[in-house]
Every structure is written in C-alpha cells, then in structure tokens.
Amino acid sequence: MEENMEEGQTQKGCFECCIKCLGGIPYASLIATILLYAGVALFCGCGHEALSGTVTILQNYFEVVRGPVDSLDVFTMIDIFKYVIYGVAAAFFVYGILLMVEGFFTTGAIRDLYGDFKITACGRCVSAWFIMLTYIFMLAWLGVTAFTSLPVFMYFNIWTICQNTTVVEGANLCLDLRQFGLVTIGEEKKVCTGSEKFFKMCESTELDLTFHLFICALAGAGAAVIAMVLGVSVLIRNSVHYLMVLSANWAYVKDACRMQKYEDIKSKEEQELHDIHSTRSKERLNAYT
C-alpha cells in the first residue's frame, strides 16, 4: 500500500514537472524560429540553384561568354550573390539560436513575475538590442523579397511566351538581355521566337525549373519576413511585460518604504508618549511621598 502511494506521488511529481517545463517553453519564439529557418533554407537553397540554372541558360541559349576575372559581368554578379547566400545562411542560423535563447529567458522571467527572478539592466539592454536588430533584419528581408521578385517577373514573361508559342507564332518577338541590364548596350544577346534556340530553350527543363526555383526563393524570403515580424512582436511584448514588472516592483518598493517610515514614526511617537507618561508617574509618586 505504501509503495503504491509512493509510486503515485512520484508520477504526480513527474507530471507537475513536465507541465512546468511545457509552461516555460516560448511557443511564439519557437514558431518564429522554425519559420525563420524554413524561410532562410528555402531562399538560400532555391536561390542558389536558380542562379546556377540562370548561368546555364545564359551560356547555352543566349551565348553569353564569361569575361576576364577582373571584369564585373553578369556571371561575376551571380557568383557574388551565391557568396551572399552562404553568408545569409550561416548568419541566420546563429541568429535563430540566439532568438530562441532570448525567448526562453524572457518567458522564464514572465512566468516568475512575483518570484525571485531579478530583471537586470543588462537584460533590458540585451532585449532592446534584439528588438532593434530584428527590426533591421525585417526591413532587410523586405528588400530581399522585393529584389527576388525581379527575376520572378523576368522568368514569368519568358515562361508565358514559351507557353503561348502558337499565339505568337506569326509575331517576331525577341528576348533581348539588354532590356534587363544583364549585358552592356554594345552586346547584342537576344533570342527571337522563330529561332531554333528559342524552341530549344522553351522545351528544356532548365527554364521551367529555374522559374519555379525563383518562386520558391521568393516564398522563402516572404516566410523570413513573417518570422521577423513575429519575432519583433514577441520581443516587444516581452519588453512591455518587463516594463510592467519594473513598474509593479517600483510601486511595491515605494509603498513598502512609505509604510516602513509610517511604522517608524508611529513607533517613535508611542515610545515618546510612553516616556512622558512614565516621567509624569514618577514625578507624582515623588511628590506624594
């Protein structure tokens, strides 16, 4: 009987411990971190492969030749974008971990509002720094999303022309890279609708795959923006809770100080009255004797 009672108490203690641990999980920060990782992974992976597909299309169908090493052409820009993607993936992997750790600490502080948890000036500065950094990243990802929509628009036009080849069969339409700023004005790199290269490009898998990869990269950038917005909201909410805790603690300390002063003054007055009463009693006793 005693063993069953001890086993029941142990199970109850484990259950309460699990509930306490689950209550301390920052679910909003967890969702924001997962969404951030998914968006960054989608943007970096699909963007990298889409850039590689762009290089293949430019070389095979538009006959664009890579320039010297010291020249800044479209291939050099694509290589730079790939290195930027590597840096973005590494940076936001670390930032996601820091954001999650910050969420755990702030959630622990909010769960223990009236406990022994102390909010330090360093903690407030770290939270403010995270809010500012996340807000800057949100604006940066908005710019990345707008920039990623440009190749999506370009490939959508090309893909639409390829899908409607029967409609534009009689028209002489040309895709000139000078219109998109990919080559200099002096270079004439274009593919027209009636040419063999145009039909080969439309029938190839590179065009369709690259177009959809850019769409996925755009979706990943949008997911990262949503994650940044959610992260800013969580951090601001926690900071508001910080301010509420500080205000409550300050009011409590202020009231406690006033109450302590009142008790001291009251005790001092009672002591003085008692001394006066004792002195008068002694004087009366001496006068009587």
Side-chain angles (χ1 to χ4, degrees), residues 31-271:
I31 294 172
T33 304
I34 294 174
L35 189 60
L36 176 64
Y37 279 157
V40 172
L42 195 63
F43 171 78
C44 293
C46 295
H48 183 275
E49 293 302 316
L51 290 175
S52 300
T54 301
V55 172
T56 303
I57 292 173
L58 292 176
Q59 290 178 339
N60 292 342
Y61 305 107
F62 288 92
E63 297 182 352
V64 180
V65 181
R66 184 183 291 270
V69 179
D70 56 346
S71 63
L72 185 62
D73 57 358
V74 62
F75 297 109
T76 305
M77 294 298 298
I78 289 176
D79 292 336
I80 293 174
F81 289 147
K82 287 184 178 181
Y83 286 118
V84 170
I85 286 175
Y86 300 150
V88 167
F92 278 90
F93 175 78
V94 177
Y95 179 75
I97 295 176
L98 294 178
L99 188 65
M100 193 65 193
V101 172
E102 169 71 8
F104 269 106
F105 276 112
T106 52
T107 302
I110 293 170
R111 299 296 182 190
D112 300 329
L113 288 179
Y114 302 102
D116 296 331
F117 191 89
K118 299 295 188 299
I119 300 173
T120 62
C122 180
R124 294 194 297 271
C125 291
V126 170
S127 297
W129 181 79
F130 262 101
I131 292 174
M132 180 185 68
L133 189 62
T134 306
Y135 186 76
I136 292 173
F137 283 156
M138 181 187 68
L139 296 178
W141 275 108
L142 282 174
V144 171
T145 304
F147 182 77
T148 309
S149 63
L150 296 178
V152 173
F153 176 72
M154 293 165 54
Y155 274 99
F156 176 75
N157 291 332
I158 301 173
W159 184 79
T160 303
I161 294 175
C162 289
Q163 295 297 317
N164 298 280
T165 52
T166 56
V167 177
V168 298
E169 187 174 357
N172 187 20
L173 301 178
C174 294
L175 300 171
D176 197 340
L177 296 182
R178 292 177 295 182
Q179 297 175 344
F180 304 108
L182 298 179
V183 295
T184 60
I185 301 298
E187 297 182 79
E188 185 178 354
K189 302 294 183 180
K190 61 182 179 180
V191 174
C192 297
T193 54
S195 62
E196 183 181 357
K197 290 183 180 179
F198 176 79
F199 290 108
K200 286 184 177 179
M201 181 180 67
C202 292
E203 293 175 356
S204 65
T205 58
E206 289 90 353
L207 180 64
D208 188 69
L209 181 61
T210 303
F211 172 54
H212 289 89
L213 284 174
F214 271 120
I215 293 177
C216 293
L218 180 62
V225 171
I226 296 174
M228 291 291 102
V229 172
L230 183 59
V232 169
S233 302
V234 171
L235 291 172
I236 291 177
R237 183 202 65 182
N238 292 337
S239 298
V240 171
H241 285 190
Y242 274 152
L243 295 176
M244 292 172 60
V245 171
L246 289 175
S247 301
N249 289 342
W250 172 249
Y252 176 78
V253 171
K254 193 175 181 179
D255 292 340
C257 291
R258 289 179 178 177
M259 184 62 67
Q260 185 64 36
K261 289 181 180 179
Y262 173 75
E263 293 291 338
D264 293 340
I265 293 173
K266 183 179 179 182
S267 177
K268 187 177 180 180
E269 290 178 352
E270 291 178 353
Q271 184 66 33

